[in-house]
Amino acid sequence: MLNCTPKIGLGNMSLGLGSAVKALHGKHEVWPCPSTELTYWLSSLVSPNYLSKEVLPWLAIVTGVSVIGHMIRDARALWLDIVEDVRWYPSPHNSQPMKLRAISETTALVYYDLDLGLPAESFGIPFAHVCAGVFLESLSVVAAARGYWTIEALEHSEMDFEAVDRLHLIGTVRLEPASPDAETLSAARRRLAAFRSRQTSRRPYDSRIVGDEILKGASSIAAEQGYDFRSTADARMVTSLVRINQKTLFSDLRNDAVYAEIMQWLRFSKDKAAAQADGLSAETMMMPGRVLRFAMRNRSLWSFPVIGGVIRFMYLRTMRGVRQLGWLEGPFAEPSQFLEAGRTFMRVWLFFSERGVYLHPFGTVITNPASHAEFVAEAGIDESGNRMAWMLFRFGYSSSPPIAHRRPATSMLLGLSPEVPDGHVPTGATPLE
């Protein structure tokens, strides 16, 4: 019935289930009235796709619209509490594309909002699923600290950014009450604390080297998921890769589609960043807002020696103290692998965060084909078969970076009607506001 992969997660653990039926039908909640129980029972028999598009209107007729409305309001309560935390998951350009639709108190459909994606560079489209994996791992961490397993039934279907339906179904997640021992619960709470403190730091780093013990821990986490974490502290290679990252920014701005996409997400003032509660703020990018606005509005000037040199200097100044770069390699050829890559990346990131280590992903080096090829050649990476170096980042120690805003929790939760998803937030941003 379902083309999906069920999985249970509790914090840093995951266990496969025998079938999607078990994942979706393993435990029914106790509902306060027969019609509500009937609604959930009927909804549990069908694919989440049909539930969201065809079945809900008929369920409204069978059980009563007012009953379903009451059910959804009740169902959203626990999810709203969880989303208050999980909304701080990282996403490309801080676009926050992940959405949830509660269908019971402990079951929700997970969507990727295509209107909040970054499809301008086709080489980067797989990272929509990477973002979904980051989100699912974040959800698992938040739920575990509240005493729940997360049980997933995932669709693993390709994303079509030209689709009429702008909400791409990732799958279903069910919260299963757990009874962790004191040690497990303590570990879950430490990971939640690391999640809450996690930030992207574009600040200069303080030149301290992250020790071998931490690097070995990160390698073990990646290996558990079938990936390789590698790093370098070689000064020549670090300098070379940082300059490739800087050069990629200049290159991307010559691509009109990529330029328009970047402009859509830039927030040049603190007030605008706070009001929009998304995107890349000048403050978090360590650039004066007026300078960034002028530079981005006049991209043609970047090719002039003086102006281009000034912009290059300002960018490289934020890279002071960077002593180490890390990257992740492994299977990266289909949606299931993209998603697991994202889950792995988030586990590594939280491992670093728990130990006071900051990260700053160099995403454009990965998604720009020419820059990616330079990176692979410089680092001597083998991408034969279905393997790929799919994440590159600087890591180290810095002072606390500015906070990147997030939309309110209610914006992540969709309403009952697929036609009017109240959490759907088109970007609506004009490029130079």
Side-chain angles (χ1 to χ4, degrees), residues 326-349:
W327 59 91
L328 288 158
E329 307 173 25
F332 203 81
E334 58 188 38
S336 62
Q337 294 171 346
F338 307 151
L339 193 144
E340 292 307 314
R343 200 191 304 271
T344 301
F345 178 48
M346 193 60 184
R347 289 182 181 179
V348 170
W349 198 336

Side-chain angles (χ1 to χ4, degrees), residues 43-58:
S43 72
S44 71
L45 298 179
V46 298
S47 161
N49 275 320
Y50 290 104
L51 174 64
S52 63
K53 296 176 182 175
E54 280 85 13
V55 172
L56 280 175
W58 292 102

